[in-house]
Amino acid sequence: MKAAILDQYDRQGTPLRVCDIPDPTVGPDDVLVRVTFAGVNPLDNMIVCGEVKLIVPYPMPLTIGNEFVGVVERTGTQVTRFSAGERVYGRMPLDSIGAFAQFVSIPQSALEATPEYMNDEEAACVPLTALTAWQAYEFMHVAEGGRLFISGTTGSLGAMAVQSHATWASRCLSVVELPAGGACSTWA
């Protein structure tokens, strides 16, 4: 299969090499997914530049990519949540990224069914920002029905934080800076 490979960290950034690599193995709890779109986000650039190597020292060469959407090709013997042909999206486990490839093998716990109202291009941008927003809520001990102030909601994380919080909490105040100066705030 084809994959985008990082051969070495480079603080200035470096081109990825597209090459053939072996298909991933599928463990008993894994799902083999044919990737249709992969999300590209700042974390991918941080990995290329070596900015996270003290947290996760990835071995080189590395198939890069953190989030994706695709179609289930095959499942491991213990997989109960998915079957071949289903559209799914997910965030690769931190210690085994590799979404910039034709196929990924990923634990079923790291996948969700792709909402029907999203096309693949839209869905590929969701998993990492949704997980980051959720982890922030857990860290801050945001309670269901509580109130939350979110500053800077024009980026992907801020937008996801407002939308996901508004689905289960009662009030969310967001503030953004307007291009002509000033600010706008709204309760969701």
Side-chain angles (χ1 to χ4, degrees):
M1 73 171 177
K2 299 277 186 208
I5 305 294
L6 175 66
D7 288 309
Q8 65 184 27
Y9 296 120
D10 185 342
R11 297 222 25 95
Q12 305 303 314
T14 185
L16 301 177
R17 178 173 51 94
V18 177
C19 63
D20 288 310
I21 63 170
D23 289 351
T25 58
V26 180
D29 194 49
D30 294 339
V31 177
L32 181 67
V33 178
R34 180 178 39 85
V35 176
T36 55
F37 273 87
V40 180
N41 55 65
L43 178 57
D44 298 308
N45 190 57
M46 292 169 66
I47 292 169
V48 167
C49 293
E51 294 175 11
V52 298
K53 67 182 176 184
L54 292 177
I55 300 166
V56 183
Y58 293 110
M60 299 294 161
L62 172 67
T63 302
I64 190 167
N66 286 279
E67 58 188 342
F68 66 92
V69 64
V71 178
V72 174
E73 289 285 313
R74 188 176 74 215
T75 62
T77 58
Q78 296 177 5
V79 173
T80 58
R81 297 180 55 218
F82 302 101
S83 57
E86 287 186 72
R87 281 179 68 227
V88 293
Y89 64 164
R91 194 260 193 242
M92 298 298 294
L94 189 61
D95 62 349
S96 58
I97 65 173
F100 295 176
Q102 289 179 298
F103 295 93
V104 296
S105 181
I106 185 168
Q108 67 177 326
S109 62
L111 288 174
E112 284 299 330
T114 305
E116 290 184 23
Y117 62 85
M118 286 185 172
N119 64 37
D120 287 359
E121 187 175 358
E122 295 165 336
C125 301
V126 171
L128 186 59
T129 53
L131 177 63
T132 303
W134 190 258
Q135 288 172 329
Y137 300 148
E138 288 181 338
F139 179 77
M140 295 183 295
H141 305 288
V142 176
E144 185 174 348
R147 292 177 177 226
L148 181 65
F149 169 76
I150 302 173
S151 176
T153 57
T154 56
S156 60
L157 177 56
M160 181 63 69
V162 169
Q163 294 174 49
S164 60
H165 185 269
T167 62
W168 63 273
S170 61
R171 304 290 282 189
C172 180
L173 175 65
S174 64
V175 177
V176 296
E177 184 178 349
L178 300 176
C184 174
S185 63
T186 182
W187 280 101

